[in-house]
Amino acid sequence: MTTAPSGAVPASAAQPAQFPLVLGLDTFGDVTHDADDHPLSHARTIRDVVEQGVLADQVGADFFGIGEHHTDDFPMPAADVVLGAIAARTTRLRLGSAVTVLSSDDPVRVFQRYSTLNAVSGGRAEVILGRGSSIDSFPLFGYDLADYEDLFEEKASLFAELLKGGPVTWQGKTRASLHDQDVVPHTESGPFPAWIGVGGSPQSVIRAARYGFSLMLAIIGGSPARFAPFSRLFQEALERFGKAPLPVGVHSPGHVAVTDEQALDEFWPRYQEVISRYSKIRGFAVPTRQSFLQETGPRGALYVGSPETVARKIAANLTALGANRFDLKYGMGGLSHEALMTTIELYGTQVIPRVRDLMAVRTL
């Protein structure tokens, strides 16, 4: 086995994590391929995600998240339903969205769905809310992109009120007002954890602090260290709003295999194909082999390699960002279910213990 370059991420002035270390897995339900490289059906892909979630529980992951998408490549419009199926077959794994596009949904229904998941899972539900970097849901549900900011601002404010419990009174422009409205089901032991996913907007960081949501940094390209000011801004904003400190998490893509070469060789052609296709829609740069190796190197945003390589990169970036949680967005369209199961097994049995060891040494 050879090892990818292992330079350290520069230490930042972000405050050290004050919360338990959480190491999870996220998926968008990317369509998997069979042994002959033919895409499998949406139904089979969804069933495979259930099996992946069950394995994540067995190998020791702390969290399993499913991101909402509405395209042929990512047939995951109802993550909470799939999470409910996983909840029925697991005992300790926390389960949640990664991410729910709140702007094109109804906050009351999102609250009810995840309160229900919280009930059936025995209190293991979480939700990560986002504005929608993928905007497919806006035309699908009849929303105007011109209202992008207003929709999320108002709906986040209502969701924050719902989390408080008890009858809700709320007034806004984007949906019907509520007056002393009881919203069910009630949670048994207080609100479930709620996060706001942020991909680069300081305004979103401040919004998360203002409403009392935890902060999830979605870092999918470039140097993770550039997000350290967001961690500082978040904690400063919480203090300014008179709120207690809250956790900071990181969500980034990756792939784990036995060796660095195997991980890179498996992931690169799929990454090149998917990102090249979406570059025409989202304005991404078309990846080259050189740019890919930069992203998978010590200062890039992709966590691709052997368990040791991935673990060292996670520990370095958690330290640099003052974060206490890392969720690996595993998978890429075209990879096989078997390759994804291997990633999950290696992540749970080798990456997670190694990160915990590295972080324990850093905090001594």
Side-chain angles (χ1 to χ4, degrees):
M1 182 187 83
T2 63
T3 304
S6 57
V9 173
S12 78
Q15 294 299 312
Q18 305 174 46
F19 301 93
L21 179 62
V22 175
L23 298 165
L25 289 158
D26 290 341
T27 178
F28 294 163
D30 315 56
V31 169
T32 46
H33 285 201
D34 63 18
D36 296 320
D37 205 19
H38 297 137
L40 298 174
S41 68
H42 288 174
R44 174 63 183 275
T45 295
I46 291 169
R47 291 193 295 270
D48 284 348
V49 168
V50 174
E51 297 302 322
Q52 292 157 21
V54 172
L55 179 62
D57 182 69
Q58 294 170 350
V59 299
D62 297 320
F63 173 81
F64 190 82
I66 301 177
E68 173 192 349
H69 285 80
H70 302 265
T71 67
D72 184 59
D73 295 331
F74 309 110
M76 274 293 167
D80 52 294
V81 177
V82 183
L83 292 166
I86 297 170
R89 296 177 54 190
T90 57
T91 57
R92 47 153 221 93
L93 186 70
R94 297 197 63 82
L95 301 162
S97 70
V99 64
T100 293
V101 184
L102 188 64
S103 304
S104 58
D105 210 327
D106 184 85
V108 173
R109 293 296 289 137
V110 173
F111 175 82
Q112 290 178 321
R113 295 198 302 267
Y114 282 90
S115 292
T116 300
L117 176 65
N118 203 51
V120 300
S121 66
R124 292 186 280 138
E126 300 188 12
V127 64
I128 300 174
L129 308 171
R131 295 183 300 171
S133 60
S134 296
I135 58 174
D136 310 279
S137 60
F138 283 78
L140 183 63
F141 299 121
Y143 288 95
D144 190 340
L145 278 171
D147 299 325
Y148 186 82
E149 287 291 342
D150 290 341
L151 285 167
F152 190 70
E153 176 64 36
E154 285 206 348
K155 292 183 178 187
S157 73
L158 174 52
F159 200 86
E161 291 300 313
L162 292 163
L163 286 175
K164 294 177 182 178
V168 176
T169 296
W170 178 89
Q171 186 172 1
K173 300 180 296 182
T174 57
R175 75 174 311 280
S177 299
L178 299 176
H179 179 70
D180 203 31
Q181 177 69 53
D182 184 31
V183 178
V184 298
H186 302 155
T187 56
E188 290 178 315
S189 55
F192 49 82
W195 306 66
I196 283 187
V198 174
S201 167
Q203 292 78 15
S204 292
V205 174
I206 295 171
R207 179 189 290 121
R210 184 168 70 250
Y211 291 130
F213 296 111
S214 298
L215 179 67
M216 181 62 69
L217 300 172
I219 307 175
I220 63 173
S223 170
R226 76 188 194 280
F227 281 78
F230 282 9
S231 297
R232 294 194 296 270
L233 175 63
F234 180 59
Q235 301 302 345
E236 290 167 0
L238 285 170
E239 184 175 358
R240 189 163 66 249
F241 292 127
K243 299 182 183 297
L246 288 169
V248 175
V250 178
H251 155 109
S252 289
H255 181 67
V256 189
V258 174
T259 67
D260 291 330
E261 288 99 332
Q262 181 182 350
L264 293 166
D265 289 346
E266 288 177 349
F267 198 73
W268 160 242
R270 307 305 183 178
Y271 177 82
Q272 180 187 37
E273 179 184 355
V274 171
I275 302 303
S276 295
R277 186 165 64 250
Y278 275 86
S279 68
K280 302 172 184 177
I281 304 169
R282 304 276 299 277
F284 296 155
V286 175
T288 64
R289 180 72 177 185
Q290 181 179 0
S291 68
F292 173 69
L293 292 176
Q294 289 174 340
E295 289 288 2
T296 57
R299 302 185 189 281
L302 299 180
Y303 295 73
V304 179
S306 67
E308 181 68 17
T309 295
V310 172
R312 286 188 174 278
K313 189 167 182 176
I314 291 171
N317 282 321
L318 286 176
T319 302
L321 295 169
N324 69 286
R325 171 168 168 173
F326 181 85
D327 291 344
L328 179 75
K329 189 279 170 186
Y330 72 94
M332 186 63 63
L335 287 170
S336 68
H337 173 57
E338 290 72 24
L340 302 187
M341 294 289 271
T342 297
T343 283
I344 292 168
E345 183 173 4
L346 291 172
Y347 185 78
T349 61
Q350 296 187 38
V351 175
I352 287 178
R354 183 62 174 141
V355 173
R356 292 193 181 282
D357 288 345
L358 290 166
M359 296 300 290
V361 170
R362 289 169 188 267
T363 57
L364 289 177

